[in-house]
Amino acid sequence: QVHLAQSGGGSVQAGDSLKLSCTVSGYSSDANTCMAWFRQEPGKERLGIAALASDRGPYYHNSVQGRFTIAQDNSKNTLTLQMNGLKSEDTAMYFCAAESGFRCIGSLLGSHTKYRNWGQGTQVTVSS
C-alpha cells in the first residue's frame, strides 16, 4: 500500500524560502513512478505546480518556474519542493502526489485526477 507523509510548510514573509518534504513508501525500487506537488486555494481547483517521473522531468507551472525546485532522492523515498522568493499568491494548501505504471503516461501537471495517492496536505501562508 502506497503512503505519503508530508512535512514542512508554515507562515513566512514575502521573499522568504520554505522547503516541503514528502516521504513516500510502498513502491518497489524498480517501479516506474511519477510524483508531483499540487496546491489548492479555498474554492479553487487543485493546481499542479511541479512534477517529475522516473524517466523525465522536472516540469513546472509557469507561476513557479525559476523559483521552485522539485527533487527526489535516489531511493525515491523522499520528494521535496524548495520554494524560494515566495509571494503572497503562493499562499495555499500544498499536497504531494504519486502514481506508477501506465498512469504516469502523458502530462504530469494536468488534472489532479491522474493521481490516486496523496499526502495529507500542509498550509503555506505568505504575508506581504
Side-chain angles (χ1 to χ4, degrees), residues 2-75:
V2 177
H3 182 67
L4 283 68
Q6 294 181 225
S7 61
S11 297
V12 297
Q13 296 291 316
D16 285 351
S17 297
L18 273 177
K19 187 174 186 177
L20 306 182
S21 294
C22 177
T23 301
V24 183
S25 60
Y27 289 119
S28 62
S29 60
D30 60 349
N32 177 34
T33 60
C34 51
M35 300 185 186
W37 289 97
F38 282 71
R39 68 186 183 191
Q40 188 170 23
E41 299 172 61
K44 294 188 178 181
E45 284 284 314
R46 201 165 287 191
L47 174 71
I49 57 171
L52 49 73
S54 301
D55 57 353
R56 58 193 174 105
Y59 305 97
Y60 297 96
H61 189 271
N62 57 15
S63 64
V64 305
Q65 180 79 50
R67 299 188 297 124
F68 291 11
T69 302
I70 186 172
Q72 185 180 35
D73 70 358
N74 290 337
S75 68

